[in-house]
Amino acid sequence: MSYWLMKSEPDECSVDDALAAPRATVPWTGVRNYQVRNFMRDAMRVGDGVLFYHSSCAEPGIAGIARVASAARPDPTQFDPRSPYHDPAAKPQAPRWLLVDVQVLRKVPLITLPVLRANPELADLLVLRKGNRLSITPVEPRHWDAILKMAGG
DNA sequence: GCCAACGTTGGC
DNA sequence: GCCAACGTTGGC
């Protein structure tokens, strides 16, 4: 079992949006970075723990606890000319981009970036590192434990 | 809107 | 394969 932090823009899909979906599950569309795609393809497994992170918003931070709910599969938005995630170079016979389903288990009181940064246990958390731009990053078990503690168990 | 950081593109 | 230009991310 591995742990991950997954960034979502709440304007596009917030924790509340995901909770409102059937089975509180949403397809994680729009990944267009090869390193992140490879995480999904090679390392993410059903049942892995997920920190649901709100990014590019007024209050960035961890907003929910979730789990990986499917294996990696082709992201249909790459084939949709009307989607902002359309990739004209991707062919259905040779999909370039993948997604996994993410199921929210519970919403947590927002753990903001300043609060995360103030915890010395999280000094090495990848998402806190300068210049980090990956929308999915692996989370070490000790970081997962520390953050769950901050989230109230 | 600014800007640092980093990924991608494309000419050579 | 190098690397400058350009695009994107994302906090502030």
Side-chain angles (χ1 to χ4, degrees):
Chain A
M1 163 124 160
S2 304
Y3 303 102
W4 307 93
L5 182 143
M6 301 178 72
K7 297 178 187 172
S8 181
E9 300 188 13
D11 286 349
E12 237 180 280
C13 181
S14 67
V15 162
D16 286 331
D17 294 334
L19 281 171
R23 291 173 301 283
T25 300
V26 290
W28 209 263
T29 56
V31 168
R32 296 295 180 267
N33 171 285
Y34 287 105
Q35 199 176 340
V36 173
R37 180 202 66 183
N38 295 347
F39 281 150
M40 293 195 288
R41 186 189 63 195
D42 303 332
M44 295 181 93
R45 297 293 176 261
V46 172
D48 281 359
V50 171
L51 302 169
F52 196 116
Y53 179 93
H54 284 175
S55 73
S56 295
C57 58
E59 276 203 303
I62 293 168
I65 308 298
R67 65 188 281 275
V68 175
S70 81
R73 57 187 171 82
D75 178 346
T77 63
Q78 70 194 298
F79 308 124
D80 180 358
R82 289 159 312 190
S83 167
Y85 301 123
H86 180 231
D87 180 351
K91 300 295 166 222
Q93 298 78 11
R96 178 178 293 187
W97 304 112
L98 305 175
L99 61 73
V100 297
D101 289 330
V102 173
Q103 179 176 38
V104 174
L105 301 175
R106 63 189 174 96
K107 189 177 175 177
V108 300
L110 188 73
I111 310 173
T112 64
L113 264 188
V115 168
L116 290 169
R117 288 191 198 284
N119 185 340
E121 291 181 284
L122 302 179
D124 301 327
L125 186 68
L126 287 176
V127 81
L128 300 182
R129 288 235 291 245
K130 195 173 183 175
N132 159 70
R133 290 171 55 212
L134 297 180
S135 61
I136 301 178
T137 47
V139 173
E140 294 177 32
R142 65 193 171 98
H143 292 147
W144 174 267
D145 291 343
I147 290 166
L148 280 212
K149 227 170 263 178
M150 297 169 82

